């Protein structure tokens, strides 16, 4: 089975062009935890119930909110390639809600 791989430039997760065509400047990409749940990046503020806490081990993933593909930041930073780590259903209740809360906080 072929692994899907996104385009990425220079080991930089912010340059990902998702397999679906989404980018940071298009629909945006979201920092997530190892379950693909968007993480809360505000310091010294309570973590909203819908979001995950910033992972203590800094093991971050990047979620494409358009298609639900998730990439592992450490793999991109080490190898300069962006294989799809796993995929989540962004239309399902809790995940859709977390994405909505994320954008509310960041805009
Ligand atoms: Zn995508």
């Amino acid at each position: 089975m072929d692994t899907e791989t996104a385009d990425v430039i220079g080991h930089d997760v912010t340059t990902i062009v998702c397999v679906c065509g989404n980018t940071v400047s298009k629909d945006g990409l979201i920092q997530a935890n190892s379950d693909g749940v968007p993480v809360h990046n505000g310091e010294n503020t309570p973590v909203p119930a819908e979001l995950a806490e910033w992972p203590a081990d800094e093991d971050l993933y990047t979620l494409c909110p358009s298609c639900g593909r998730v990439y592992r930041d450490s793999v991109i930073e080490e190898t300069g390639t962006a294989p799809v780590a796993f995929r989540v259903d962004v239309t399902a209740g809790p995940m859709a809600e977390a994405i909505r809360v994320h954008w509310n906080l960041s805009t």
Side-chain angles (χ1 to χ4, degrees), residues 13-95:
V13 298
T14 65
T15 67
I16 288 175
V17 178
C18 185
V19 175
C20 75
N22 182 31
T23 64
V24 166
S25 58
K26 198 177 173 207
D27 293 333
L29 298 166
I30 300 176
Q31 288 181 305
N33 69 8
S34 57
D35 293 321
V37 179
V39 294
H40 180 58
N41 58 11
E43 289 181 21
N44 303 321
T45 55
V47 179
E50 294 82 358
L51 301 183
E53 285 186 49
W54 194 266
D57 56 5
E58 303 275 328
D59 190 10
L60 288 168
Y61 290 69
T62 296
L63 166 68
C64 172
S66 297
C67 67
R69 287 180 176 86
V70 181
Y71 305 91
R72 190 174 189 181
D73 288 14
S74 61
V75 170
I76 295 162
E77 286 158 6
E78 283 168 23
T79 67
T81 63
V84 176
F86 57 94
R87 196 168 179 175
V88 298
D89 183 358
V90 289
T91 63
M95 186 62 74

